[in-house]
Amino acid sequence: MREPLGVERLLELDRQHVWHPYGPMPGRRDPLVVESASGVRLRLAEPVHGVRELVDGMASWWSALHGYNHPVLNEAARAQLDRMSHVMFGGLTHEPAVRLAARLVEITPEGLEHVFLADSGSVSVEVAVKMCLQYWRSSGRPEKRRLMTWRGGYHGDTWTPMSVCDPDGGMHSLWAGVLPEQVFADAPPAGFTAEEDPAYAAHLRELLERHAHELAAVIVEPVVQNAGGMRFHSPSYLRLLRRLCDEYDVLLVFDEIATGFGRTGALFAADHAGVTPDVMCVGKALTGGYLTMAAALCTSRVAEGISRGEVPVLAHGPTFMGNPLAAAVALASIDLLLGQDWQAEVKRIEAGLREGLAPAASLPGVRDVRVLGAIGAVELDRPLDAAGMAAATEAAVREGVWLRPFGQLVYTMPPFVTGDGDVGRICGAVRAAVEAGAGV
Ligand SMILES: *Cc1c(COP(=O)(O)O)cnc(C)c1O
């Protein structure tokens, strides 16, 4: 056994050597040191503001559906570990990956038949886009290579996904001239239950008509724009996109990396619309938050199109493609989810969030409070700066809750196993974080 580092030394090394997400180097604020996690609680290595355990309102970036240290997922990982952690996927195959692919085909919208197992969400988006561009190339139309999306989206941090992230909220200004220039529609009108806006529908049609000759695909996050601002829109726009893409001969990609596996109240957000995209990405909650894995699924039309080409193969193959350990845990996580009345759990959390977050609407500096499925968000009337963000985070920690506000948002996407008491506690912490953040 190695000697434990001790919190002080650990943080010193962390500052010196370790990049954190979207962070400067060296780091300017000390992260909290987590020692272990169980159920919906993170246990800190030492108390912070007198608090040692935090209810995780983030589900580790929306992935830990069943909470931490779950006996069923632990057992699935252990059993697979004793057989093999990994073997290459080129020329070899194995039961966990095959079963997982078949299971994904079974539970995703009708018509998605083929599965590319990738090692992260961003890579699955790269693969989805590669599939679409290659489809047109193989069909003798290589000029169809641009993408269209709507503003307010987020699709990951590698180059192609970055190019379809929101051009204002993302890093577009920093990378102007470097990122491929895509076609941006206005953000979809807000509101899950809002009526379809004919002017917006005409706007989408006009853009598609104008650019169809150069478009490989339209890519969007269905129903919820997540990291781009936690905005909800009507499923009717997804049906509209499906019709327009068919009419103008453009492929349709749904990025369900954040919305998949029940988060919005439907198993996949596409199910709200009853629409099958040509390509669909899943990730984040795929392994219940245990290991890194994502997938791009496509229809037979896309696969056959690619196979007709001069180069009939999809030239992509991550080293850890189809990782057996991740696949085994993903299968167990899906079984665990579908083996219970998950819709009732999501509805229960939705009701708790509605009740607990409603009072935030009357707090100073609050523009909007919205809830859909197990997603609750409070939007402020201006973005939090670094000090506001730190104050908001600290206020939540004092309430015994882990939150990570960003932009104008204090939000939660808790694990589905969060009990009513803890949902209430998270809502209290969101309100405290809003007051502290808006007060800076
Ligand atoms: C998180 C996310 C991604 C990127 O996934 P990574 O695993 O972080 O690469 C892509 N699209 C959406 C909608 C996401 O929420």
Side-chain angles (χ1 to χ4, degrees), residues 62 120-123 125 154-157 221 226-227 255 257-258 284:
W62 331 334
S120 77
S122 302
V123 170
V125 172
Y154 174 83
H155 297 282
D157 293 337
E221 289 162 281
N226 298 273
D255 177 350
I257 291 167
K284 285 197 163 85

Side-chain angles (χ1 to χ4, degrees), residues 163-248:
S163 75
V164 281
C165 287
D166 185 69
D168 300 323
M171 298 273 192
H172 280 251
S173 49
L174 181 60
W175 296 111
V178 182
L179 285 178
E181 281 177 29
Q182 314 290 15
V183 177
F184 286 94
D186 296 342
F192 179 69
T193 55
E195 294 266 327
E196 189 173 308
D197 174 0
Y200 186 73
H203 168 63
L204 287 180
R205 171 178 290 280
E206 193 269 323
L207 273 183
L208 262 156
E209 188 171 348
R210 176 147 38 110
H211 294 283
H213 67 280
E214 55 174 348
L215 287 180
V218 171
I219 177 170
V220 296
E221 289 162 281
V223 176
V224 183
Q225 294 183 295
N226 298 273
M230 298 292 161
R231 275 184 294 263
F232 313 146
H233 56 260
S234 164
S236 81
Y237 294 114
L238 306 172
R239 288 190 287 272
L240 174 65
L241 281 178
R242 181 68 279 179
R243 287 197 303 276
L244 291 173
C245 284
D246 289 343
E247 192 178 329
Y248 291 104

Side-chain angles (χ1 to χ4, degrees), residues 255-323:
D255 177 350
E256 293 247 15
I257 291 167
T259 48
F261 304 101
R263 181 57 64 180
T264 67
L267 191 56
F268 295 96
D271 300 341
H272 287 296
V275 156
T276 300
D278 300 290
V279 184
M280 183 168 128
C281 297
V282 296
K284 285 197 163 85
L286 174 58
T287 66
Y290 265 55
L291 287 150
T292 174
M293 180 174 258
L297 290 89
C298 75
T299 60
S300 295
R301 174 193 169 201
V302 172
E304 284 161 14
I306 290 170
S307 307
R308 273 198 306 269
E310 204 176 307
V311 181
V313 300
L314 185 69
H316 212 100
T319 307
F320 288 97
M321 184 168 177
N323 178 252

Side-chain angles (χ1 to χ4, degrees), residues 260-404:
F261 304 101
R263 181 57 64 180
T264 67
L267 191 56
F268 295 96
D271 300 341
H272 287 296
V275 156
T276 300
D278 300 290
V279 184
M280 183 168 128
C281 297
V282 296
K284 285 197 163 85
L286 174 58
T287 66
Y290 265 55
L291 287 150
T292 174
M293 180 174 258
L297 290 89
C298 75
T299 60
S300 295
R301 174 193 169 201
V302 172
E304 284 161 14
I306 290 170
S307 307
R308 273 198 306 269
E310 204 176 307
V311 181
V313 300
L314 185 69
H316 212 100
T319 307
F320 288 97
M321 184 168 177
N323 178 252
L325 207 48
V329 177
L331 272 169
S333 175
I334 292 170
D335 285 347
L336 201 54
L337 182 68
L338 300 185
Q340 58 175 310
D341 189 354
W342 62 269
Q343 278 159 309
E345 294 306 312
V346 173
K347 280 211 176 76
R348 175 183 62 78
I349 291 173
E350 180 170 23
L353 292 176
R354 278 192 202 285
E355 188 187 325
L357 295 181
S362 53
L363 294 175
V366 170
R367 176 187 285 172
D368 188 33
V369 176
R370 45 188 183 259
V371 173
L372 180 68
I375 306 171
V378 177
E379 184 177 337
L380 307 176
D381 56 16
R382 64 191 161 89
L384 292 167
D385 60 12
M389 209 106 76
T393 305
E394 184 186 321
V397 168
R398 286 182 188 277
E399 300 288 321
V401 174
W402 174 240
L403 297 177
R404 189 155 167 86

